[in-house]
Amino acid sequence: MKVLKFGGTSVGSVENIKKVIAILQQQSETSKIAVVVSAVGGITDKLIEAGELACNKNPDYVVKYNKIWSIHNEIIEELFKNIEDDETVLELQTELVENIGTKLNELRSLLNGIYLINELSPKTKDKLLSYGEYCSSTIISYILKALRIDAALKNTQELIITDSVFNNARVIFEQTNKNIKSYFKNQKQTITLLPGFVSKSTNGETTTLGRGGSDYTASIIAAAINAKEVQIWTDVSGMFTTNPKLVKQASPISELSYQEAIELSHFGAKVLYPPTVMPVLRKNIPIVIKNTMKPEAIGTKITSTKKSNGISPVTGISNIDGIALLTLQGNGMVGIPGFSKRLFETLAQEKINIILITQASSEHSICFGISESDAIRAKEAIDTVFEFEIALQRLEPILSETDLSIIAVVGDNMKSHQGISGKMFSTLGKNNVNIRAIAQGASERNISAVIHKNDVKKALNSLHEQFFEIKTKQLNLFITGVGNVGERLIQQINQQNAYLKKNFKINLRVVGLSNSRKMVVDEDGIDLKNWKSHLNNGETASLNEFFNHAKNLNLRNSVFIDITANTEVAYIYPKYLKESISVVACNKIACSGDIHYYNQLKELSRRYNASFLFETNVGAGLPIIDTLNHLVTSGDEINSIQAVLSGSLNFIFNNFNNNTSFFEIVKQAQAEGYTEPDPRIDLSGIDVARKILILARESGYQMELDDIESNYFLTEEAMKSNTVEAFFETLKQDEGYYQKLYEDAKSKEYQLKFVAEFANGKANVGLRQIPEGHPFYNLEGKDNIVMFYTKRYPEQPLIVKGAGAGADVTASGLFADIIRIANN
Ligand code: ADP
Ligand code: ASP
Ligand code: MG
């Protein structure tokens, strides 16, 4: 004999009930079956809501009641519509409508009673809840009859006997087993239908087995009759590696041990009601979890002899929400036995279930996790019991924190693998998930942590990635500024993503995009093929709202990327870093502005374990800052730096001669995108000054922009011009001056280069005449060059050279920063 249990969704619609019937027909061909059914999906919740409304004197309970009535009657009508109606079928339908009608009238009277007396005791609540399972089992039994499928309906309340702890009654197994055995001994029909969840106390009153209790009903029956198997038919294809509602990548676990199933279900895997395992474990009866909507999926088999999946010592990760953490602490506890005994006795008397306990070895405090709904009661009871110690200040009044959740990593094989907890906590730490308490069972089958409820999704996703997808790391990018460079970066991400996933196990997702007008955020990743239209149809851009999205989504490995030249954007980085969101800046303002701000960003990056990278601030895509950082972190010291750091000035002086005009060449450089939109920033030397400042700072020198000696080569008029147009006018007027600069250098066979130098804590920038043979002499096009003279490279410098401007190379520099974060 087998026991099959169908959950609320399975009996929640006509379509699903048809699937249930197909499963019953198929399974009853080879074996007798007992079929336990839950209430129609959502009905138990509605019964509770109606009861609470009535109890609170809110007449809307009638609306809820009407809904319960119509849900059932619609199902009946639809089901019978699908059956060829002869006289018997019509009679059955009428009988069923009457039967359910009478029962629901009774429910209506009960609700009226609750409304009148303004009270909903646990006892009445159980009576109220029992209507759900009564209706579903009755409806299905009539449908089977109408389909001429041989089936009996037995009221479980006549079989399962409990104590009188209403809402969560404890089964009295001796009597229950006897009842079940004797009933099934004489039961000749192939299919026996039974309502789940409901039971009766020794006094004959209706009790229930706790929310989700139909699973338990099935296992109690299976154990009593020594069934071959219990099947839990639900709306997912088994027990998943973690909560599939919160983690898309979760997948069904094909085999579990009883112990693992107990741990996972106790720690929140709702698919199996925790007490379910116990009765069948003793008899070694397997539990199989199957999907009614997808019966072909193999599901999860729970046995005492499961095989290891061979991939990870972790079998599953679960979460329980609605947790309160209570802490009892005080000097009076140290070394004095009996405190915990009194504490836990008090909780036991109050019938409060403790989910997790930790005690510091100093014995100065005990911390325990309970359901939030018990928190007030627990605090009152404990404060009363320890009133005397609290008055003497040996103990502090109990501290209660709410809005917490527990996450648990579970696996039989964890004990033989070192470093699981290390991996667990470093993964949580890296993602800025603050851990409030930790517990590890002596069996080492479970490590659990208490965290804030808002962090649960991120924690589950990052742990799942760590233990089950170890190989793929997902980065969630929030990009602001989608001009030339931004557009190229998006192109590069789109083009490289498949390659990165396959070869480097890195998955880049652009979750947020913004320009100065619009922004768009999509938790599932923006479709990069159509990003422009998504952005155009997005919301109005707001720096703060963009940040709020990133913060509230709370995704693991989030990165904010600034591809603007905007001051306001540069000043929002601290907000991101404080949420452990890494920052990649193309924008130079933060690193070349006030030194305190630069230091603050570095400090925040360290403190919150979030990268702050800005390789493209100097030399576009060239690995200049990265090289410098490697030198410094490996203990080298920078003696001096000589560099040509302006791709645009290099382009200008490489192309300017007595056959061209200075004005034309600057115009061309601007048109080809080698200068900043405002070319004065390049030609005044300020851009180069900022770059050498950044290199000096990265070399360990606390310098400000004012400390850089800036020798400009433009005319006074050009320096004073207020607009870009006026600036270009001066270039035209002063052509003679610029020609003279050229002629002077030419006559000595020198090349003009705009050079930046740093040595002995001082830096300067200016136009230089470079003789033949110097490494700067042959610098082509818009190239940059940096020469690092260091303790380890005293005479022959370490040189980095290559294209130092242009949208494509800048985008690839940003890309490199993103990959650095992925590899971190
Ligand atoms: P039923 O009504 O069939 O008893 P439940 O809602 O009680 O179904 O349990 C199934 C649900 O459990 C799934 O839809 C899923 O949302 C939730 N769940 C939570 N954790 C897990 C997990 N680890 N594996 C599978 N399902 C889980
Ligand atoms: N109907 C009950 C509940 O919703 C029991 C169950 O579905 O298992 O809790
Ligand atoms: Mg359930």
Side-chain angles (χ1 to χ4, degrees):
M1 187 144 184
K2 288 182 192 167
V3 180
L4 282 65
K5 176 258 168 175
F6 291 90
T9 319
S10 306
V11 295
S13 69
V14 172
E15 202 185 321
N16 291 345
I17 293 176
K18 282 196 212 155
K19 289 185 178 132
V20 171
I21 292 169
I23 294 165
L24 297 187
Q25 282 180 307
Q26 197 222 341
Q27 300 238 0
S28 58
E29 278 172 14
T30 51
S31 157
K32 274 174 86 173
I33 56 175
V35 180
V36 175
V37 291
S38 290
V40 167
I43 289 294
T44 309
D45 288 336
K46 289 198 171 59
L47 287 165
I48 295 177
E49 286 158 14
E52 282 171 354
L53 287 170
C55 172
N56 293 329
K57 281 276 174 212
N58 185 333
D60 283 351
Y61 76 92
V62 180
V63 179
K64 280 272 172 250
Y65 168 81
N66 288 341
K67 186 80 199 159
I68 294 169
W69 191 94
S70 61
I71 289 175
H72 287 106
N73 281 287
E74 273 162 28
I75 288 181
I76 296 172
E77 199 183 319
E78 278 294 306
L79 276 171
F80 275 89
K81 238 191 231 163
N82 285 289
I83 302 172
E84 229 180 284
D85 47 356
D86 55 24
E87 214 170 294
T88 336
V89 170
L90 284 174
E91 269 169 27
L92 282 169
Q93 183 174 2
T94 317
E95 207 179 301
L96 174 61
V97 172
E98 268 175 33
N99 183 326
I100 296 293
T102 313
K103 200 71 187 173
L104 291 180
N105 280 339
E106 215 181 288
L107 169 65
R108 171 85 202 240
S109 309
L110 179 61
L111 286 167
N112 290 347
I114 296 168
Y115 181 77
L116 289 173
I117 62 168
N118 206 353
E119 192 181 276
L120 176 59
S121 69
K123 185 165 134 182
T124 311
K125 190 170 166 189
D126 272 351
K127 193 170 229 74
L128 184 70
L129 292 187
S130 69
Y131 286 86
E133 267 71 8
Y134 175 89
C135 290
S136 61
S137 58
T138 306
I139 293 172
I140 295 191
S141 82
Y142 270 85
I143 282 298
L144 291 178
K145 256 188 225 158
L147 291 168
R148 299 188 165 79
I149 300 171
D150 181 33
L153 173 65
K154 176 69 182 169
N155 186 352
T156 321
Q157 292 186 295
E158 291 161 21
L159 302 177
I160 298 183
I161 309 302
T162 68
D163 64 10
S164 296
V165 179
F166 295 100
N167 305 166
N168 208 349
R170 257 159 294 194
V171 176
I172 298 169
F173 276 98
E174 222 183 285
Q175 213 172 327
T176 300
N177 288 342
K178 218 186 274 167
N179 292 346
I180 296 173
K181 270 186 202 148
S182 77
Y183 170 74
F184 279 97
K185 208 159 95 195
N186 303 316
Q187 196 344 65
K188 296 284 174 293
Q189 278 158 289
T190 326
I191 301 176
T192 310
L193 263 178
L194 304 112
F197 184 49
V198 290
S199 43
K200 203 156 249 178
S201 73
T202 42
N203 303 334
E205 270 150 345
T206 297
T207 52
T208 61
L209 301 175
R211 290 304 308 271
S214 297
D215 300 345
Y216 191 30
T217 308
S219 107
I220 295 167
I221 294 172
I225 57 173
N226 283 318
K228 256 192 9 224
E229 182 174 281
V230 187
Q231 300 174 1
I232 304 289
W233 289 86
T234 182
D235 59 352
V236 283
S237 300
M239 175 84 83
F240 277 56
T241 44
T242 188
N243 191 336
K245 291 227 165 80
L246 298 178
V247 180
K248 280 218 182 83
Q249 282 81 1
S251 55
I253 307 167
S254 56
E255 289 189 37
L256 275 177
S257 72
Y258 288 123
Q259 302 303 337
E260 287 171 329
I262 290 174
E263 298 281 354
L264 285 169
S265 63
H266 266 285
F267 281 86
K270 187 190 167 211
V271 65
L272 194 65
Y273 182 52
T276 307
V277 180
M278 265 338 215
V280 289
L281 181 151
R282 291 194 201 104
K283 297 276 180 92
N284 221 346
I285 300 168
I287 303 175
V288 185
I289 304 176
K290 297 277 286 177
N291 188 344
T292 305
M293 276 56 81
K294 250 189 176 177
E296 67 287 358
I298 58 165
T300 299
K301 187 162 190 176
I302 304 168
T303 60
S304 57
T305 54
K306 74 126 191 187
K307 289 187 225 81
S308 154
N309 66 9
I311 304 166
S312 169
V314 174
T315 309
I317 309 164
S318 56
N319 68 295
I320 326 179
D321 295 334
I323 295 294
L325 195 63
L326 274 68
T327 308
L328 184 68
Q329 58 186 352
N331 295 328
M333 283 169 68
V334 183
I336 301 172
F339 271 97
S340 16
K341 181 168 172 274
R342 281 167 68 201
L343 170 67
F344 295 124
E345 266 173 8
T346 311
L347 291 168
Q349 273 159 14
E350 290 291 320
K351 300 211 160 55
I352 291 171
N353 181 32
I354 305 165
I355 305 168
L356 166 150
I357 306 172
T358 61
Q359 177 167 28
S361 57
S362 69
E363 296 181 32
H364 175 263
S365 71
I366 300 179
C367 188
F368 55 95
I370 57 176
S371 167
E372 228 162 39
S373 54
D374 293 332
I376 295 173
R377 214 152 42 87
K379 180 173 165 52
E380 279 169 7
I382 298 164
D383 283 347
T384 310
V385 165
F386 290 105
E387 204 170 17
F388 179 65
E389 286 83 353
I390 293 170
L392 292 180
Q393 296 189 335
R394 283 198 212 148
L395 280 184
E396 292 167 26
I398 204 144
L399 183 78
S400 170
E401 294 162 86
T402 51
D403 288 337
L404 300 171
S405 295
I406 296 178
I407 47 167
V409 168
V410 171
D412 279 344
N413 294 331
M414 279 168 32
K415 56 180 171 296
S416 50
H417 282 75
Q418 270 144 17
I420 303 285
S421 56
K423 264 192 199 163
M424 173 175 174
F425 296 121
S426 70
T427 304
L428 294 175
K430 269 189 196 154
N431 285 284
N432 200 25
V433 175
N434 188 20
I435 298 165
R436 300 286 307 105
I438 295 170
Q440 175 166 24
S443 66
E444 293 184 44
R445 196 176 278 122
N446 170 338
I447 308 170
S448 21
V450 179
I451 62 175
H452 195 273
K453 66 175 188 195
N454 294 348
D455 284 334
V456 168
K457 191 169 178 191
K458 179 162 74 171
L460 290 182
N461 275 281
S462 34
L463 291 174
H464 196 265
E465 185 172 87
Q466 172 66 37
F467 290 114
F468 294 101
E469 312 154 41
I470 318 156
K471 290 151 208 114
T472 330
K473 184 163 183 180
Q474 184 180 92
L475 256 70
N476 296 297
L477 311 179
F478 295 82
I479 302 178
T480 186
V482 285
N484 250 340
V485 175
E487 184 163 351
R488 297 298 165 85
L489 177 65
I490 295 169
Q491 263 170 19
Q492 289 179 10
I493 293 172
N494 196 20
Q495 181 196 319
Q496 283 306 97
N497 218 352
Y499 175 82
L500 286 173
K501 253 193 224 164
K502 181 156 178 268
N503 297 292
F504 295 94
K505 309 294 177 205
I506 294 171
N507 180 19
L508 299 184
R509 297 191 325 158
V510 178
V511 176
L513 270 181
S514 173
N515 57 22
S516 53
R517 288 168 294 107
K518 293 278 186 180
M519 64 181 189
V520 58
V521 174
D522 182 345
E523 185 179 355
D524 297 325
I526 295 163
D527 166 22
L528 294 188
K529 288 196 188 78
N530 301 309
W531 68 268
K532 282 189 185 163
S533 69
H534 290 304
L535 182 59
N536 285 333
N537 297 327
E539 354 165 16
T540 307
S542 145
L543 261 183
N544 276 322
E545 279 312 305
F546 197 63
F547 162 74
N548 286 337
H549 280 301
K551 179 182 166 187
N552 296 336
L553 281 175
N554 205 3
L555 299 170
R556 65 200 184 282
N557 307 320
S558 292
V559 185
F560 173 66
I561 304 171
D562 175 9
I563 324 183
T564 71
N566 182 295
T567 309
E568 247 185 286
V569 181
Y571 277 87
I572 201 157
Y573 304 164
K575 281 192 164 182
Y576 282 95
L577 292 170
K578 282 178 189 168
E579 296 300 325
S580 289
I581 298 176
S582 294
V583 173
V584 170
C586 186
N587 188 343
K588 283 192 236 0
I589 293 173
C591 287
S592 59
D594 182 357
I595 183 83
H596 297 110
Y597 186 52
Y598 165 86
N599 289 338
Q600 183 200 356
L601 293 173
K602 290 262 165 173
E603 168 57 24
L604 290 175
S605 154
R606 271 189 297 272
R607 182 163 355 136
Y608 291 96
N609 205 356
S611 300
F612 171 45
L613 298 177
F614 40 88
E615 180 61 86
T616 50
N617 277 196
V618 181
L622 294 178
I624 295 173
I625 294 177
D626 194 46
T627 305
L628 175 54
N629 288 158
H630 283 311
L631 291 174
V632 173
T633 48
S634 68
D636 204 351
E637 281 165 27
I638 310 299
N639 296 334
S640 70
I641 299 171
Q642 289 187 17
V644 174
L645 292 173
S646 170
S648 44
L649 285 175
N650 204 39
F651 173 86
I652 289 167
F653 287 110
N654 277 340
N655 289 285
F656 175 50
N657 54 42
N658 42 15
N659 296 322
T660 57
S661 79
F662 196 65
F663 164 78
E664 277 167 23
I665 296 296
V666 176
K667 264 275 178 223
Q668 186 188 344
Q670 186 198 33
E672 297 193 11
Y674 300 150
T675 66
E676 300 281 327
D678 179 349
R680 290 174 298 175
I681 296 177
D682 298 288
L683 276 92
S684 65
I686 178 84
D687 191 53
V688 175
R690 282 178 182 162
K691 289 173 180 166
I692 195 74
L693 173 68
I694 294 170
L695 294 184
R697 286 177 173 179
E698 290 290 294
S699 305
Y701 290 83
Q702 297 281 309
M703 291 173 74
E704 294 281 10
L705 194 59
D706 285 348
D707 300 329
I708 313 285
E709 182 189 325
S710 186
N711 305 300
Y712 58 90
F713 68 89
L714 293 174
T715 59
E716 289 288 339
E717 282 68 31
M719 290 299 281
K720 278 192 279 188
S721 56
N722 288 331
T723 63
V724 176
E725 289 72 39
F727 169 71
F728 273 113
E729 271 311 304
T730 72
L731 296 191
K732 274 191 204 158
Q733 278 161 23
D734 298 332
E735 180 64 25
Y737 163 78
Y738 296 108
Q739 281 295 338
K740 186 156 181 324
L741 285 180
Y742 172 76
E743 286 298 337
D744 251 15
K746 171 92 192 208
S747 64
K748 293 180 234 167
E749 299 197 334
Y750 287 175
Q751 287 272 6
L752 285 172
K753 298 287 165 195
F754 196 84
V755 174
E757 280 178 329
F758 166 77
N760 304 320
K762 291 208 169 75
N764 66 73
V765 300
L767 194 65
R768 297 282 161 77
Q769 296 179 338
I770 304 293
E772 200 175 346
H774 190 283
F776 292 174
Y777 187 86
N778 282 324
L779 204 58
E780 313 263 317
K782 52 193 187 320
D783 281 4
N784 277 194
I785 183 168
V786 181
M787 305 200 292
F788 292 108
Y789 290 90
T790 72
K791 208 167 71 183
R792 291 185 195 139
Y793 295 90
E795 269 126 40
Q796 287 302 319
L798 173 63
I799 298 181
V800 184
K801 179 180 166 186
D808 256 327
V809 288
T810 310
S812 69
L814 290 167
F815 205 98
D817 274 346
I818 297 168
I819 299 301
R820 279 182 196 110
I821 294 173
N823 290 332
N824 192 346

